[in-house]
Amino acid sequence: MLSSSRAEFALRDPSALSALLSYDWRARQILTDAELLGEGRYEPAVEGDADSLLRPLQRLGFVKPLHGVRPHGGRMRLWSLGDVLKIQIAADLRQVSDMSVNACVRHLRADEGAAVAAALSQWQSHAGAPGDHCAALRLRFEGLPTLPEGETLAEFAHCSVARFVHRNRFDTVERPAFLA
């Protein structure tokens, strides 16, 4: 991720933001709405119905967008990779459980967010690793009579993040030196 002083500068300076956005989102680890939702020429980064999740997840304080200044004026909404991963975890839990967004967020926060935080802290370890190690676990979660809790919730979040990293092929993008 960008250091905070670099990120603040890039988001406040329209030409710096334009230069930053010329790189692949996997390298810069900040996504535009179009990249997140798959609008125009972009494939959606998040699997599932992210469009219907964004506003409720923002309202609940689960994710918080960044705002950048456009060259011609106005602001654009941007998403940090950490928040995008949280959106993916919530989308996966919602798909498996058929619960409301509010209930999914309450469930993910039940352990003070430890399962989600652990999954987010290890996301880079999945780049370049085999992508099928969570397939059996994913099948086990389909049609669960109860929601995953404790260690099972941590495994669920971990696999959700791993699937996101594999699906978006983070191993194929080289980061520019100034983003390191």
Side-chain angles (χ1 to χ4, degrees):
M1 183 76 172
L2 294 170
S3 70
S4 61
S5 63
R6 283 186 186 174
E8 284 182 35
F9 174 76
L11 296 177
R12 289 184 183 162
D13 183 277
S15 58
L17 181 59
S18 292
L20 180 65
L21 292 178
S22 68
Y23 290 94
D24 189 282
W25 67 263
R26 296 168 292 181
R28 66 179 187 261
Q29 298 178 15
I30 293 177
L31 289 84
T32 64
D33 277 343
E35 293 163 336
L36 175 68
L37 302 173
E39 298 169 353
R41 64 184 173 107
Y42 300 106
E43 288 292 318
V46 173
E47 193 175 49
D49 192 18
D51 194 24
S52 68
L53 292 175
L54 289 181
R55 296 264 185 235
L57 291 176
Q58 279 181 263
R59 184 177 35 79
L60 294 167
F62 194 64
V63 296
K64 183 179 181 193
L66 305 169
H67 291 93
V69 178
R70 295 178 185 266
H72 50 280
R75 298 183 333 161
M76 72 183 313
R77 190 168 63 171
L78 301 164
W79 300 93
S80 69
L81 183 60
D83 279 346
V84 172
L85 292 171
K86 289 167 80 173
I87 293 167
Q88 183 64 67
I89 294 168
D92 288 346
L93 183 61
R94 188 168 183 219
Q95 180 185 11
V96 167
S97 67
D98 288 330
M99 291 191 315
S100 70
V101 178
N102 292 349
C104 286
V105 170
R106 263 194 319 272
H107 189 71
L108 290 170
R109 286 182 171 162
D111 64 348
E112 283 96 40
V116 173
L120 295 180
S121 70
Q122 299 172 5
W123 78 267
Q124 290 176 320
S125 66
H126 302 295
D132 60 349
H133 69 281
C134 288
L137 184 66
R138 175 88 176 152
L139 291 175
R140 196 175 83 203
F141 287 133
E142 296 294 333
L144 275 176
T146 61
L147 288 172
E149 293 183 20
E151 187 62 34
T152 309
L153 181 60
E155 286 180 82
F156 178 83
H158 174 79
C159 285
S160 180
V161 168
R163 286 179 54 247
F164 177 89
V165 170
H166 295 298
R167 186 179 63 255
N168 288 299
R169 303 200 32 113
F170 276 78
D171 58 332
T172 63
V173 176
E174 187 143 341
R175 292 180 55 119
F178 77 91
L179 290 176

